[in-house]
């Protein structure tokens, strides 16, 4: 049986990946949004998130193993809990509520949580910090993509109730 911190890291990644997939609806509303020509194909997002979240889970294990005190381990846990919350919130805002504008605002919190992870685990494991760099880069890219979608399609505040009712 794996150690509890290894199980926790695996569950962290599986829950985020599963929830992200379950809460992402590529239906008519999403397909009708104007998107930039440089947006990756829809099929790429699942594999990208799988690799990123797997790397982040590995980073959690390395950071935990590198933490030498309970206080240090609480820091690692706190960073991952905050990131879990902000990561989890994005898909429901964008897809379920059909509010890319709110998802954009939230994505800055997600980005800050990923940067905090990357910097926060560095004292415990340089490799863990390095494993989180693709997460920072992908969320940076996704935030910019979200921004462009908002600019091409907004405003959403007046449209969201009508669109939610008709979907």
């Amino acid at each position: 049986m794996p150690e509890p911190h290894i199980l926790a890291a695996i569950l962290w990644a599986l829950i985020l990946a599963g929830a992200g997939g379950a809460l992402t609806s590529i239906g008519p509303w999403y397909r009708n949004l104007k998107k930039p020509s440089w947006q990756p194909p829809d099929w790429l997002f699942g594999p990208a998130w799988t690799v990123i979240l797997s790397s982040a889970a590995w980073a959690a294990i390395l950071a935990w193993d590198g933490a030498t005190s309970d206080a240090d381990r609480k820091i690692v846990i706190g960073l991952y809990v905050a990131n879990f919350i902000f990561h989890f919130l994005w898909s429901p805002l964008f897809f379920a509520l059909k509010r890319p504008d709110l998802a954009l605002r939230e994505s800055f919190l997600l980005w800050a949580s990923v940067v905090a992870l990357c910097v926060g685990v560095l004292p415990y494991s340089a490799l863990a910090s390095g494993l989180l760099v693709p997460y920072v880069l992908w969320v940076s890219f996704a935030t910019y993509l979200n921004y462009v979608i908002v600019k091409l399609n907004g405003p959403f505040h007046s449209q969201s109730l009508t669109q939610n009712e008709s979907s």
Side-chain angles (χ1 to χ4, degrees):
M1 181 74 159
E3 293 185 45
H5 73 285
I6 295 173
L7 286 176
I10 293 168
L11 282 173
W12 175 89
L14 288 174
I15 291 169
L16 283 179
L23 295 169
T24 299
S25 174
I26 307 294
W29 172 82
Y30 177 76
R31 293 203 187 285
N32 288 327
L33 288 174
K34 295 176 196 149
K35 297 174 211 75
S37 60
W38 47 265
Q39 176 177 319
D42 294 338
W43 64 263
L44 181 64
F45 287 87
W49 279 120
T50 300
V51 170
I52 288 165
L53 292 174
S54 297
S55 295
W58 184 16
I61 294 165
L62 294 173
W64 182 272
D65 289 343
T68 57
S69 70
D70 287 343
D72 290 341
R73 287 184 197 97
K74 285 180 183 176
I75 290 170
V76 173
I77 290 169
L79 290 168
Y80 272 86
V81 166
N83 176 258
F84 181 92
I85 292 166
F86 294 126
H87 188 112
F88 184 87
L89 289 174
W90 189 88
S91 288
L93 290 171
F94 192 100
F95 290 101
L97 294 179
K98 298 179 173 118
R99 292 294 304 265
D101 56 332
L102 296 179
L104 177 61
R105 291 181 190 147
E106 193 280 336
S107 70
F108 290 105
L109 298 172
L110 171 57
W111 182 86
S113 77
V114 179
V115 170
L117 269 178
C118 194
V119 172
V121 303
L122 183 58
Y124 313 118
S125 170
L127 178 55
S129 182
L131 286 168
L132 291 163
V133 169
Y135 194 3
V136 173
L137 296 174
W138 186 255
V139 170
S140 299
F141 170 76
T143 298
Y144 183 66
L145 176 59
N146 191 163
Y147 168 78
V148 172
I149 288 171
V150 168
K151 286 296 183 192
L152 291 172
N153 296 279
F156 290 93
H157 63 284
S158 60
Q159 297 174 340
S160 62
L161 289 177
T162 305
Q163 288 181 347
N164 281 334
E165 291 170 1
S166 65
S167 296

